[in-house]
Amino acid sequence: MKKAVIFDMDGVLIDSEPVYLNRFEIFFDHHHIPVNKNDLKKTVGASSKATWDIIRKLWPEDISVSRLREMFYFLSDRFSISYKDILFPNVIKTLQLLKKQNYRIALASSSSFSVIHAALSATDTSDYFDVIVSGEMFKESKPNPEIYLYTICQLSLPSHECIVVEDSVYGIAAAKAAHLDVAAIRDTRFGFNQSNATYLIDDVAEILDILKSLNGSLKIS
């Protein structure tokens, strides 16, 4: 019996990953530095720390992460995001139905708390989550399973009573290492290997069908 759903945020609730990639392309272009888009794709699903380590390695000169971040945020006026506009279809309906059926709902994202709260506030989804966890809380985020082990502890549920909705290779690996079933949003853009996911879905609302098949009691109407 599944009693809780744990959502990743980027690529699951909001279509932010192409936006983040575009910001880094603008950043490199502003400094007249050519960059391979496939190299930038390695940042998708990574924690903030891992992302900036990747960017530093792509920079042609020896430079600190703190200096890179300073230069990046200097261009912040070019990087505004309308989270409401990139909210995936059916997210709110799905959260409403899960809440109505008394499922516990958690968010476990590699993003910082500032980004998480900005996205949830802009999309009016904060109140649906019983637990909100950021990768910045841990020394290592996804693919390390600690973020998911911590989340299920906060939910006070064993792993077999929870299911995760993810998309990236890092996220799927983290959830599986925490002995969690994973429904992965099917990737068609970033070349993710999603073969380790328990289920593949095309829309976040399909988690309702999975829960209905597993529990036999979820009303989708």
Side-chain angles (χ1 to χ4, degrees), residues 203-214:
D203 186 288
V204 70
E206 291 178 42
I207 192 64
L208 303 172
D209 296 315
I210 292 171
L211 291 169
K212 185 176 181 182
S213 68
L214 293 173

Side-chain angles (χ1 to χ4, degrees), residues 129-145:
F129 296 97
D130 302 293
V131 174
I132 297 174
V133 182
S134 164
E136 71 180 1
M137 298 168 61
F138 312 100
K139 184 177 180 180
E140 294 183 45
S141 190
K142 305 170 187 177
N144 188 293

